[in-house]
Amino acid sequence: MPDALDASPYDALLLLSFGGPEGPDDVVPFLENVTRGRGIPKERLKEVGQHYFLFGGVSPINDQNRALLAALREDFAGHGLDLPVYWGNRNWAPYLTDTLREMTADGRRRVLVLATSAYASYSGCRQYRENLADALAALEAEGLQPPRVDKLRHYFNHPGFVEPMIEGVLRSLADLPEEVRDGAHIAFTTHSIPTSAADTSGPAEAHGDGGAYVGQHLEVARLIAEAVRERTGVDHPWQLVYQSRSGAPHIPWLEPDICDHLQERHAAGVPAVVMAPIGFVSDHMEVLYDLDTEATAKAEELGLPVRRSATVGADPRFAAAVRDLILERAGAERGQEVTRCALGALGASHDLCPVGCCPARAPRPAAAGADSPYA
């Protein structure tokens, strides 16, 4: 048996994700959860839901989270880390509040949270923290004493997250026809967000043009492109591009869109493109539809050879990275000197989101940060 690893003071890990429908009848109620408070008519939600109906009304995200849960549990057991893993979603079952209620009943008092979003942004970090605060408040209103929750740091530049993406790009390049392979362009994709949200992402000192959100993605893209060059001897041109815009047309969002980018690259004479979705942990609906369906159809219309590289998903190296992040944070909480593993120039992210980090449009309590009411 392996020697036991020490996760104290933590007694559980919570995998916190977005959630998704698991059948046609779930689609509109799921979208109502996602858009609650925005006053979007049900008919409009049915139109948006067509992406899901193309796939039987089922988002792959829940099955992918189940696979990640299994990978985490296998890794922990194999390395002597006795830490139970729970799972809760923001917008669909298993709901976050229900999972925290279960954890409270199980006697969990210090919980680490792994969000399925690797980068700094309001929607990718603070909104999860707001959901945590809402759930904790709901349990308190029921007369329960919920656990203290801490969120694992952003892991965008952890080697266990980056290395699987490097290999995914290499496999996609190798799958292209030989005559276009060396001239292929790499389009690193992530979710578009309003430019105002990007500019205020990360700690206050990182605010500015694109903020931490764009800066972190550019760093990951650079790391992957450099690794590809080192391993193939070919310097592929690359660009960070965006997908999955969902906002009102008059509000500026990050650009260029992947479909526009494919058209522009084709017009410039690029012989092939690898689409690398570095902004996503798994192959959920926005990868499945926006890249595998919509962008691929655009490329076929143009006659442009494209390949889409894999996301990290339940790769064992990612599970090992989560174990590493847990032990790092646990050691820091015990007052020990810890080694923080990170590639590139940006270094390891903060453990505790500072005041002013990824501010909300309207002030709301957020857990697991310097401004948390649940310290």
Side-chain angles (χ1 to χ4, degrees):
M1 291 291 292
D3 294 333
L5 298 176
D6 188 5
S8 64
Y10 298 105
D11 55 17
L13 176 71
L14 168 61
L15 175 65
L16 177 55
S17 193
F18 193 81
E22 300 201 76
D25 293 341
D26 296 345
V27 172
V28 172
F30 162 73
L31 292 173
E32 287 175 333
N33 287 342
V34 173
T35 60
R36 180 165 286 118
R38 301 184 200 172
I40 299 177
K42 183 170 286 190
E43 290 306 311
R44 173 58 181 152
L45 295 180
K46 289 179 181 178
E47 293 176 19
V48 174
Q50 292 306 313
H51 296 180
Y52 292 94
F53 293 129
L54 286 173
F55 299 91
V58 179
S59 168
I61 193 170
N62 279 356
D63 276 346
Q64 289 163 1
N65 280 324
R66 292 183 184 103
L68 180 55
L69 283 169
L72 292 170
R73 289 165 177 158
E74 180 179 356
D75 179 271
F76 293 0
H79 290 85
L81 178 58
D82 184 15
L83 194 70
V85 186
Y86 296 74
W87 170 36
N89 289 324
R90 288 171 46 186
N91 299 299
W92 201 249
Y95 288 103
L96 170 60
T97 302
D98 295 336
T99 301
L100 281 173
R101 188 182 294 110
E102 177 189 359
M103 299 177 84
T104 300
D106 289 348
R108 309 304 175 193
R109 304 309 312 147
R110 289 289 302 272
V111 174
L112 270 173
V113 177
L114 169 67
T116 54
S117 176
Y119 301 86
S121 70
Y122 172 75
S123 57
C125 183
R126 185 177 176 89
Q127 193 169 16
Y128 281 96
R129 294 175 48 225
E130 291 176 351
N131 296 145
L132 283 165
D134 291 343
L136 295 171
L139 297 187
E140 286 187 340
E142 297 172 9
L144 300 175
Q145 184 182 359
R148 172 176 164 177
V149 297
D150 292 327
K151 181 177 174 291
L152 288 172
R153 66 176 172 88
H154 300 301
Y155 46 84
F156 64 94
N157 57 356
H158 194 288
F161 185 68
V162 176
E163 183 61 35
M165 293 190 291
I166 294 170
E167 290 193 0
V169 171
L170 290 169
R171 285 194 298 270
S172 292
L173 286 167
D175 191 48
L176 284 168
E178 186 175 359
E179 63 270 19
V180 299
R181 187 179 304 149
D182 285 355
H185 171 92
I186 306 173
F188 294 104
T189 78
T190 190
H191 205 301
S192 183
I193 62 175
T195 57
S196 59
D199 294 346
T200 57
S201 58
E205 61 269 20
H207 294 177
D209 188 14
Y213 184 76
V214 172
Q216 290 170 358
H217 281 88
L218 285 172
E219 178 70 351
V220 171
R222 183 188 66 79
L223 288 167
I224 296 172
E226 288 186 355
V228 168
R229 183 184 69 244
E230 290 169 1
R231 299 181 198 187
T232 66
V234 179
D235 191 5
H236 291 273
W238 61 270
Q239 187 172 338
L240 178 64
V241 302
Y242 303 93
Q243 62 174 90
S244 312
R245 175 184 172 136
S246 59
H250 68 280
I251 297 175
W253 282 52
L254 293 173
E255 295 178 335
D257 175 78
I258 177 62
C259 290
D260 295 337
H261 181 68
L262 292 175
Q263 188 156 342
E264 186 272 332
R265 290 291 81 202
H266 177 257
V270 167
V273 173
V274 168
M275 301 182 292
I278 62 172
F280 305 92
V281 172
S282 64
D283 287 5
H284 55 58
M285 184 57 69
E286 286 169 324
V287 175
L288 211 61
Y289 181 80
D290 296 336
L291 293 183
D292 293 355
T293 304
E294 191 173 50
T296 299
K298 169 57 74 172
E300 289 175 353
E301 173 192 319
L302 296 168
L304 177 66
V306 294
R307 297 292 185 273
R308 197 269 291 173
S309 66
T311 53
V312 172
D315 190 289
R317 288 165 293 187
F318 182 45
V322 174
R323 169 169 41 88
D324 180 59
L325 292 168
I326 290 167
L327 297 175
E328 170 199 298
R329 182 63 180 271
E333 288 293 309
R334 295 193 302 267
Q336 298 173 347
E337 290 287 333
V338 295
T339 300
R340 299 177 181 272
C341 196
L343 298 174
L346 296 183
S349 186
H350 47 261
D351 281 339
L352 199 65
C353 291
V355 176
C357 192
C358 304
R361 291 179 290 273
R364 284 181 58 190
D371 54 355
S372 171
Y374 299 98

